[in-house]
Each structure stands twice: as structure tokens, then as C-alpha cells.
Amino acid sequence: MHWPLALLLSLLTLFQTFPAAAQVDDGLATVRLDGRALFRLGGTEDLEARLRARQIERQLLTVLETPQGISRARIAAAGENAASRQITMAGRVLMQVTREDAEANGMALDAQAREWASILETALAQASTRRTSERARFVTDVRASVDTAFARLLEAAISIVPRALAALLVIGVFWALAAGVRAVVRMISRRLIHDRTVENLIKQVSYYTVWLLGLIVAATAFGLEPGALATGLGLTSLALGFALKDILSNFVSGLLILTLRPFQLGDQIVIGETEGTVERIELRATQIRTYDGRRVLVPNADTFTSRVTNNTAAPVRRGQVVCYLGYDVELQKVLRVLEEATLRAEGVIAEPQPSVAIREMGQSELAFQVQFWCDSRRSDFMLTASRVRANLIDALRAAGIALPGPAVHQVVLREAGPAPDQALPRRRRSDEN
């Protein structure tokens, strides 16, 4: 499963874990019948306002299924110590009126129950007159569904749009604040901190910290409770961990790279098949500029767990050049000439001194290995190696030491025969110089 799909599933699970927190409303819900608003009420200890209103609406539709049973609403005491009033009609319990409902409307409990009972009676009587036939019932139900859908959409828009605008405004403010903090940190770091990697770490941590605070404040402005949001995140940690595994791995690896600093900005490194100069170390990936001008983004998780070769970790780097000469040369003279020529090459440092050694003895030539130290950066290293080769050629020619010419190869041909004692004699062919 790809991580975007996993992230989507985890977010859906997240919002299902705290529906109350995701509802950006004022804690009240509207009771409707045939799309017409009757009254608004709050929630109880057992039911939130929205579910309570839907339950009352279902009871009203059930009563409408038997129009002959519609009668006057009855009010009776209910609950412990008669703390609430129960409204019934046609033998069905329509709703219970609590003291919290009465207090919210500034009325006594009995007065609130009588008012809502009267509203329900009138609404049921009017709804019954709209259902005098099957055709009228069908038209009324369709119209009621459409009216209810648009009414609820309008209520949601009235409740959500201001909160969404407030959340966007908060995000905009914190975006500007994060940019300002990054600019201030950059100015301070350039004056107090001379390490570009440390400057990059402080700059990115401060920038994303401000962004995180902005997102929390924006979620609160939108109506999401931070406590409920944290609880939901805890309940769906497995899904989120699966969805964001690669992102979190790159993020943590980026922090470790910026903290441990196995390489710095400007270093020339080798990661797998990628070799180049480190331009940026972000919290997600390391940006490398290859020597042919291409930009490569290597995920920080791969960078942290892979073998990394830092060519510029030390200021100097050892290079070597192999020179092939014939067996007829004077060894001590050749060793002295090669060492002096290497030391005169521009870019070769005097300490440590260059060294010359016989690397191997071939069939027709000797291999002299010339080692030298120079600047570790690739451009300087390659240029210095080229200057050393040029100096070696000039020095050998000036000393009268013959340079190797085209090699003479001997090829032995064998022809298979019927028996070893009847094998044909070997023929030799020499290439012309």
C-alpha cells in the first residue's frame, strides 16, 4: 500500500475516533420535521445534541406512519426525583426535556416541556395534512429530504466558514512569523555561528517549531480540541505510524545528521552511486550537486543508514600516479627524478613529502607508484594530479630517461591434433612496432 492511501485511511480513522471534537458547532442541534425547523436543543450525558435531534426526528416520523394515532401530547415526570419531563404521543416517547434545556432557554422545566409539546403537536398535525394520499406522501418526503439537506448544509456553512477563515488567518500569521523567525535566526547565526551546518539546524528547527505551534492554534480556532485531538492521535498511532513511517524516518534521520554532523555543507561526499557537493541538509532529504551539474535529493534515511565517503573531511588528500618504465633504467636516478618532479608540481604540499616506490615488476616494464598530498577538494585534486603527470613526463625527458614505447605483444597459437605426440609445432607472431 502506498503511503498516501495509508495516510488517508489513518485520517479517516482519526476523525472517527473523536466525532464530537470534529463537529465545529455551538453544542446545539435543530430538530426538523419535513425540513422545517422546530426548535434547537443541546445534548445530554448519554447523547450529543446532533444524535439527540436525529432520534426525536425518527420518533416523529414513526408517529406519522399512523395518522389516526396522532393526539394531544402528554407530559409526565421522568428520571430520578422527577428531574426531567417526558413528552409522549400515541403511546410513543417523543423526547425528554431536561433541566439543562429549560435553563438554556431561561424557562422553568414545566413551561419548557409545555412549549415543546405544543410545537410538536402543531408540527405533526401539519405534516399529517401534507400526507393525505400516497402521491402527496411521496412528494412531501422528497421535498422534506431536499429541504433538510440544504438546511443542514446552510447550518454547517454558517458554523464552519467563520472557523475555517479564522484557521486560515492563523496559518497566514504563523507563516509570516515563521519566515520572520527564520530570517532573524539567519542574521544572528551569521554573526555568532560560523558553522553553516549548525546554522542550518537552528534555522530549520525554529522554522518548523513555529509552524507546529501555528497548526495547533489553527486547529483550535477551527474548533478541534487539542486534548481530543491528542487522544485521537494516540488511538490511531498504529495507522499513522504505518502511513508516515518513511516521512518520520527521514525527519528523525535529518535531525540526527544535523546533530551528529557526519558531513557539512560544502563537503564532497559519496553515497552509493551519487557523488558530489553537499548543498543543503533538509529535514527530509540531503541535496547534493554532482560534478556534472545535476542536483540529486537523497532521502535522509538512506543517507544515515548507507555507507558515506567524505572526501573533504580532512583538508588534504593523498593522490597517486603510476608511471611505467623499462628495466634498463637506473633505479636510484629514476626514484630521485620522480620525487623531485612531483614536489615541484603546483598544488602538491611539502609535508607530508611525496613518496616514490616500485609498485610491481611486469614482464617488460616496471611500475613506479608516485604518491603525493594536495587539497582534498575534487577540482584541486584532479588538477594537481594532472600537473604531477605533466611534470613527470618533462622531468624524465630532461634526465634522458627513455619513456616506454608501444608494447610488443606475443601471441601463441596452438592447433589441436589427434594426439599429443602429433601436435604441430608452435608458431609465433610478433606485432610490428
Side-chain angles (χ1 to χ4, degrees):
M1 182 183 297
H2 298 291
W3 73 264
L5 180 58
L7 178 60
L8 177 60
L9 293 177
S10 63
L11 291 178
L12 292 177
T13 306
L14 175 64
F15 283 109
Q16 290 175 357
T17 57
F18 49 91
Q23 292 295 322
V24 285
D25 53 23
D26 54 2
L28 300 177
T30 303
V31 178
R32 297 180 180 276
L33 182 60
D34 290 348
R36 293 169 172 80
L38 304 182
F39 51 81
R40 290 172 62 82
L41 47 71
T44 62
E45 295 180 356
D46 300 327
L47 289 175
E48 63 173 334
R50 182 174 57 88
L51 297 179
R52 186 185 179 195
R54 301 298 179 270
Q55 187 179 66
I56 296 173
E57 292 171 356
R58 287 194 296 269
Q59 291 297 96
L60 294 176
L61 292 176
T62 303
V63 172
L64 282 176
E65 295 295 328
T66 56
Q68 66 276 10
I70 298 177
S71 58
R72 288 187 60 84
R74 298 181 58 185
I75 301 175
E80 297 181 0
N81 302 322
S84 61
R85 298 294 182 266
Q86 183 173 276
I87 302 176
T88 61
M89 182 179 291
R92 295 183 176 275
V93 178
L94 298 181
M95 65 174 297
Q96 284 191 357
V97 184
T98 64
R99 294 188 182 276
E100 288 77 11
D101 294 329
E103 292 175 357
N105 292 284
M107 300 176 64
L109 178 60
D110 291 329
Q112 183 67 76
R114 287 193 298 270
E115 179 181 340
W116 282 355
S118 175
I119 292 175
L120 293 177
E121 286 180 4
T122 304
L124 285 172
Q126 293 176 354
S128 179
T129 59
R130 291 191 292 269
R131 290 170 169 79
T132 56
S133 63
E134 292 297 330
R135 179 178 179 276
R137 181 187 296 273
F138 176 77
V139 174
T140 301
D141 289 342
V142 173
R143 183 179 299 174
S145 299
V146 174
D147 292 343
T148 302
F150 276 100
R152 289 175 181 171
L153 179 61
L154 180 60
E155 286 182 355
I158 293 175
S159 177
I160 292 177
V161 169
R163 297 172 186 264
L165 292 177
L168 291 176
L169 179 61
V170 169
I171 291 177
V173 171
F174 274 87
W175 171 78
L177 183 61
V181 168
R182 182 168 58 180
V184 172
V185 170
R186 184 187 296 114
M187 293 175 57
I188 296 176
S189 300
R190 288 180 177 177
R191 295 183 179 181
L192 302 180
I193 302 175
H194 300 289
D195 192 327
R196 295 175 58 195
T197 305
V198 176
E199 175 189 347
N200 192 31
L201 172 62
I202 297 175
K203 183 172 59 179
Q204 293 197 52
V205 170
S206 59
Y207 179 78
Y208 287 109
T209 299
V210 175
W211 259 114
L212 179 60
L213 294 176
L215 292 177
I216 294 176
V217 176
T220 304
F222 190 71
L224 298 177
E225 293 294 335
L229 184 62
T231 302
L233 289 174
L235 293 176
T236 58
S237 59
L238 180 61
L240 286 175
F242 175 75
L244 305 177
K245 179 184 66 175
D246 294 336
I247 297 177
L248 293 177
S249 177
N250 289 327
F251 181 82
V252 174
S253 299
L255 288 178
L256 291 175
I257 290 174
L258 289 170
T259 303
L260 300 177
R261 293 191 294 172
F263 50 82
Q264 302 179 9
L265 298 180
D267 282 353
Q268 295 179 350
I269 64 175
V270 181
I271 305 176
E273 298 180 355
T274 304
E275 180 177 0
T277 304
V278 179
E279 287 191 339
R280 289 178 59 86
I281 304 176
E282 300 177 346
L283 294 180
R284 189 194 69 85
T286 300
Q287 178 178 315
I288 298 177
R289 180 73 64 176
T290 60
Y291 301 128
D292 55 1
R294 294 179 297 173
R295 185 177 67 177
V296 180
L297 294 178
V298 182
N300 286 330
D302 296 340
T303 302
F304 191 74
T305 57
S306 299
R307 178 179 178 178
V308 179
T309 302
N310 192 342
N311 290 329
T312 54
V316 295
R317 177 181 175 184
R318 189 181 70 178
Q320 67 178 19
V321 173
V322 179
C323 180
Y324 296 93
L325 298 174
Y327 276 94
D328 56 346
V329 299
E330 184 180 345
L331 293 180
Q332 297 302 323
K333 179 180 179 181
V334 170
L335 294 176
R336 185 182 70 256
V337 169
L338 294 180
E339 182 177 352
E340 293 175 354
T342 303
L343 189 59
R344 289 195 303 270
E346 183 180 353
V348 175
I349 61 178
E351 292 293 337
Q353 292 184 353
S355 63
V356 182
I358 300 176
R359 179 176 177 178
E360 62 181 55
M361 297 184 297
Q363 292 183 353
S364 60
E365 57 191 2
L366 295 172
F368 293 87
Q369 179 175 272
V370 180
Q371 295 182 341
F372 57 91
W373 293 83
C374 62
D375 189 278
S376 60
R377 302 193 66 81
R378 178 181 173 87
S379 58
D380 297 331
F381 175 79
M382 299 296 291
L383 184 59
T384 302
S386 176
R387 290 168 178 166
V388 168
R389 292 187 181 94
N391 276 22
L392 293 180
I393 295 174
D394 293 340
L396 290 173
R397 288 176 176 172
I401 300 174
L403 298 175
V408 177
H409 302 280
Q410 292 184 348
V411 180
V412 179
L413 302 177
R414 291 179 181 270
E415 295 183 6
D421 56 350
Q422 298 179 359
L424 296 176
R426 291 180 295 180
R427 294 184 301 176
R428 298 185 178 182
R429 184 185 65 185
S430 298
D431 295 338
E432 294 181 359
N433 291 337

